[in-house]
Amino acid sequence: MNEIRRSLMPLRSRSREKITLQLHRDENVLFAGYKLPHPLQYKIIVRIHTTSQSSPMQAYNQAINDLDKELDHLKNAFEAEVAKHSNSREF
């Protein structure tokens, strides 16, 4: 089992949750979580446990890349729908 604990600059709460959920989608991730040591401290601590087939940093980087692709897909789909509806309207 591999483990990493890293201090990071804080992210918005939804971003932290999305990264943790994305990490849980990876079959090599045994545990992924974060904590805020203190509300006045400007950092979060991320903890990731993986199987021997993957390193925690690989899992973290893959989760970030997967979320980036997912957001790009949502953005492109939204822009396509906006363009489709704006072209169909006549003023």
Side-chain angles (χ1 to χ4, degrees):
M1 178 172 65
N2 298 321
E3 176 185 359
I4 189 171
R5 292 180 194 199
R6 303 285 285 191
S7 294
L8 302 171
M9 300 304 280
L11 304 167
R12 293 185 176 176
S13 119
R14 294 277 185 212
S15 299
R16 293 187 301 251
E17 293 166 6
K18 290 283 187 194
I19 291 170
T20 304
L21 289 172
Q22 190 67 36
L23 282 164
H24 285 285
R25 291 179 184 167
D26 187 340
E27 61 192 29
N28 292 316
V29 173
L30 303 173
F31 174 83
Y34 65 90
K35 71 177 180 177
L36 300 166
H38 191 277
L40 298 177
Q41 289 181 341
Y42 196 65
K43 70 176 182 178
I44 62 170
I45 298 173
V46 176
R47 185 173 167 191
I48 305 168
H49 288 260
T50 61
T51 63
S52 59
Q53 284 83 24
S54 177
S55 77
M57 283 307 295
Q58 286 175 326
Y60 183 80
N61 290 334
Q62 187 62 45
I64 296 294
N65 290 336
D66 291 345
L67 284 173
D68 192 38
K69 289 176 189 174
E70 192 174 318
L71 290 172
D72 280 342
H73 172 73
L74 289 172
K75 178 185 171 196
N76 292 337
F78 177 76
E79 289 173 348
E81 286 297 314
V82 167
K84 184 170 80 172
H85 289 289
S86 66
N87 290 337
S88 64
R89 286 189 178 173
E90 293 186 25
F91 294 97

